[in-house]
Amino acid sequence: MSQPEQPDSEASTPPSASAGGKRAEFARRLAARQSHSRQVARLAMLEEHLGGPPRPEVVEPVRRLLYGDAPAPRAAG
Amino acid sequence: MPDPIRGWVLDAPVIAGFARRDERAEAAVWLAVHHDDTLLLPSLALSLALGDPELDGREAQDALAVLMALAVVDDVDTARAYGIADVRARADQPGEPATDPGLLAVAHVVSVAADADSRSSPTARPASTRWTRVAR
């Protein structure tokens, strides 16, 4: 006697919920990509104005004040 | 519930410092942009900074244009007017900001920071003097 076939997780998910989940994931990834692009564009605009990243000896004390022990961001370039 | 804002509220000394090419103000803005943090620019603080006679030159105006392109300007609409009034009401001398534009600008900064704090995560850091961490 064979075991009744167990439905897999994909099949147990209503088609509309699965499609909704995929759309949500796509929207999340798209938002993350757009956010990264915006960040790069903002940084490029700022560094063009500044003539490059600020000097590390200026950045470090400000970083400690504002961000505590967070790792220093990598200089763009 | 709106997403928490991660960023900083700029007050008049930081705005004016950036316009004057003060390296620390520039480094602070650069760090915020590098962390993809939001920069909030209360319009009254901007107005106060614009009153600085040292910011008349072309270079300072160009710097302010860059800062405004990077930041979100918080205008004084009806809701903000009530928020500023609320900050003034809680001040030690509530009538003082009415005659001191500097204190009115500070009340605007505090009101913006308080709004952002109310939407922030529980791990928000305490405010510093010139820069207010509004969420993390």
Side-chain angles (χ1 to χ4, degrees):
Chain A
M1 198 167 112
S2 62
Q3 292 280 329
E5 196 171 306
Q6 294 292 319
D8 61 33
S9 59
E10 186 69 27
S12 65
T13 307
S16 59
S18 176
K22 285 179 181 172
R23 276 198 299 271
E25 173 64 14
F26 175 75
R28 189 193 63 74
R29 288 163 61 182
L30 181 63
R33 194 174 302 146
Q34 288 173 336
S35 171
H36 179 69
S37 301
R38 190 192 65 230
Q39 179 192 12
V40 169
R42 291 171 83 218
L43 196 60
M45 180 198 301
L46 178 58
E47 291 189 353
E48 184 181 344
H49 166 71
L50 300 178
R55 294 183 293 129
E57 58 269 34
V58 178
V59 169
E60 191 54 27
V62 177
R63 184 193 65 76
R64 279 200 301 271
L65 179 68
L66 299 182
Y67 290 92
D69 294 323
R74 187 167 49 84
Chain B
M1 183 178 168
D3 288 339
I5 294 175
R6 203 182 78 161
W8 302 92
V9 183
L10 281 63
D11 69 2
V14 172
I15 298 168
F18 186 87
R20 283 196 303 263
R21 304 298 313 263
D22 177 274
E23 283 189 297
R24 287 175 303 172
E26 290 180 342
V29 170
W30 183 82
L31 279 163
V33 172
H34 220 300
H35 282 87
D36 201 20
D37 286 345
T38 300
L39 295 169
L40 291 170
L41 203 61
S43 54
L44 291 186
L46 175 63
S47 175
L48 189 66
L50 289 171
D52 186 333
E54 288 183 38
L55 304 189
D56 281 344
R58 174 68 185 270
E59 191 180 10
Q61 294 301 316
D62 286 349
L64 283 174
V66 170
L67 187 59
M68 280 188 271
L70 296 170
V72 176
V73 176
D74 183 271
D75 292 322
V76 182
D77 58 8
T78 307
R80 181 60 63 209
Y82 276 95
I84 292 171
D86 188 46
V87 171
R88 287 174 54 193
R90 292 163 190 261
D92 289 340
Q93 296 171 303
E96 203 168 22
T99 55
D100 185 336
L103 291 178
L104 201 55
V106 169
H108 190 180
V109 170
V110 172
S111 175
V112 173
D115 265 11
D117 271 340
S118 72
R119 290 181 292 176
S120 71
S121 67
T123 55
R125 297 183 180 191
S128 61
T129 308
R130 288 190 171 185
W131 286 76
T132 304
R133 184 97 217 198
V134 292
R136 182 64 173 160

